[in-house]
Amino acid sequence: MGFPVSNGEQPLKFLIYGRTGWIGGLIGKLCQAQGIEFVYGSGRLENRASLEADIAEIKPSHVFNAAGVTGRPNVDWCESHKVETIRTNVVGTLTLADVCRDKGLVLINYATGCIFEFDEKHPLGSGIGFKEEDTPNFIGSFYSKTKAMVEDLLRNYENVCTLRVRMPISSDLSNPRNFITKITRYEKVVDIPNSMTILDELLPISIEMAKRNLTGIYNFTNPGVVSHNEILEMYREYIDPNFTWKNFTLEEQAKVIVAPRSNNELDASKLKNEFPELLTIKESLIKYVFEPNKKSGGA
């Protein structure tokens, strides 16, 4: 569905929050490549007046929120910084959504799909994924707990397009936030099939979603699942033939992390129906990540 926007036939002009973040930076580069005018917001998400000032000055056609606390080096940080996590992920996101609604603006909100875990109705390996309307069942980490809370509240904002990103991957294999880069550097990895997001394919789709004024929740992942070992086998085949790795169990992993991690499959058919050209996760990995890196000799 589309939100009845106030911008009418206004030319595209994007206001983006999350300048220093990975996704925020990539959205800016995509806008440059497409010739779309964009400005990074300077306001703090939790400061309503600063957001209103940004919108008054910039007069955007759409707003993108790629700001948020994921924690450094990982989500375990959120376990010991709960107020800071709430301030940005809950108070800040809701404030931005509310200001945008007041101004008649669609907000493209990059959220997370790490709010589910395999269960009896969605067993591991079944191919039955969680849908957009399903209630989150994973609150093992404080990060995921805040994200599930804010997603539920944002359902009431008809101007918000919530994109559930999972285990993001890009063709930049030198980026420490890239899921592939992370698992190649781990001493040991678990081996569980998961839904994942290939940013090189999906971020341009998010810009198209803004152009169409789409709102509501979307599982923002490539269709299907891929396991850690399958990715590392591709890495060995395309990038480093001498690469080796060791697996360990979830029980063993639990001893070296503070908060449990989400493992799930999301049903991407809603996104696929809107964008039929969307590739499966394994096709997308080869086309957008491994083939380009193979030609240039890797990262």
Side-chain angles (χ1 to χ4, degrees):
M1 66 175 180
F3 178 64
V5 292
S6 65
N7 57 39
E9 294 303 305
Q10 178 190 349
L12 293 175
K13 185 176 186 182
F14 293 168
L15 171 57
I16 305 167
Y17 288 93
R19 171 181 219 143
T20 58
W22 184 22
I23 289 178
L26 289 174
I27 291 294
K29 287 178 180 169
L30 284 169
C31 288
Q32 280 179 322
Q34 292 189 27
I36 297 171
E37 192 178 354
F38 72 98
V39 179
Y40 283 108
S42 56
R44 301 291 303 170
L45 291 192
E46 65 275 14
N47 183 332
R48 187 181 186 95
S50 71
L51 302 182
E52 290 173 336
D54 277 349
I55 289 170
E57 180 189 348
I58 293 154
K59 299 181 176 59
S61 63
H62 299 79
V63 181
F64 287 71
N65 180 30
V69 171
T70 53
R72 293 285 184 278
N74 54 48
V75 295
D76 285 342
W77 180 91
C78 300
E79 300 298 315
S80 54
H81 298 79
K82 291 183 175 176
V83 171
E84 295 95 320
T85 304
I86 291 170
R87 186 178 298 135
T88 302
N89 290 0
V90 182
V91 179
T93 304
L94 288 173
T95 303
L96 181 59
D98 197 57
V99 169
C100 287
R101 185 178 183 275
D102 268 0
K103 309 295 181 187
L105 294 168
V106 166
L107 172 64
I108 304 290
N109 183 49
Y110 297 96
T112 184
C114 291
I115 51 178
F116 296 98
E117 61 182 341
F118 293 113
D119 63 11
E120 286 178 7
K121 291 182 181 175
H122 311 81
L124 174 68
S126 68
I128 302 168
F130 290 92
K131 290 183 159 63
E132 281 78 5
E133 57 273 17
D134 287 335
T135 303
N137 68 346
F138 178 78
I139 50 169
S141 69
F142 190 74
Y143 166 80
S144 292
K145 194 173 179 179
T146 64
K147 290 289 196 172
M149 284 177 189
V150 82
E151 184 190 275
D152 188 44
L153 292 167
L154 286 175
R155 286 179 189 272
N156 300 292
Y157 282 82
E158 70 278 21
N159 63 311
V160 176
C161 182
T162 291
L163 304 179
R164 290 174 175 165
V165 175
R166 283 209 81 234
M167 297 177 164
I169 291 169
S170 85
S171 54
D172 178 7
L173 295 180
S174 64
N175 190 313
R177 312 225 29 212
N178 189 336
F179 180 74
I180 296 176
T181 311
K182 285 182 180 181
I183 63 173
T184 58
R185 294 177 181 177
Y186 287 160
E187 195 178 328
K188 293 180 179 177
V189 294
V190 294
D191 181 35
I192 302 170
N194 270 282
S195 286
M196 301 187 192
T197 302
I198 306 297
L199 297 177
D200 303 67
E201 181 176 14
L202 283 159
L203 288 186
I205 284 177
S206 68
I207 289 178
E208 180 58 34
M209 294 173 87
K211 292 176 182 176
R212 297 181 191 180
N213 289 322
L214 296 179
T215 56
I217 297 173
Y218 284 83
N219 288 335
F220 203 59
T221 55
N222 291 84
V225 291
V226 65
S227 72
H228 299 64
N229 281 8
E230 286 172 324
I231 290 176
L232 293 174
E233 282 160 11
M234 289 182 193
Y235 186 85
R236 184 170 61 195
E237 180 186 346
Y238 284 89
I239 310 297
D240 180 2
N242 299 313
F243 185 77
T244 59
W245 68 93
K246 292 177 188 163
N247 289 123
F248 65 163
T249 63
L250 279 174
E251 291 72 26
E252 290 169 317
Q253 182 195 46
K255 294 174 184 172
V256 296
I257 56 177
V258 176
R261 302 293 195 262
S262 153
N263 291 288
N264 69 51
E265 177 171 354
L266 299 181
D267 183 331
S269 51
K270 182 180 177 184
L271 189 67
K272 176 83 173 172
N273 288 341
E274 188 72 39
F275 297 93
E277 68 276 17
L278 185 63
L279 297 179
T280 66
I281 184 63
K282 289 172 188 172
E283 291 169 336
S284 195
L285 273 166
I286 291 167
K287 178 178 177 179
Y288 288 98
V289 180
F290 288 117
E291 282 288 355
N293 277 291
K294 183 182 185 184
K295 287 167 193 157
S296 62

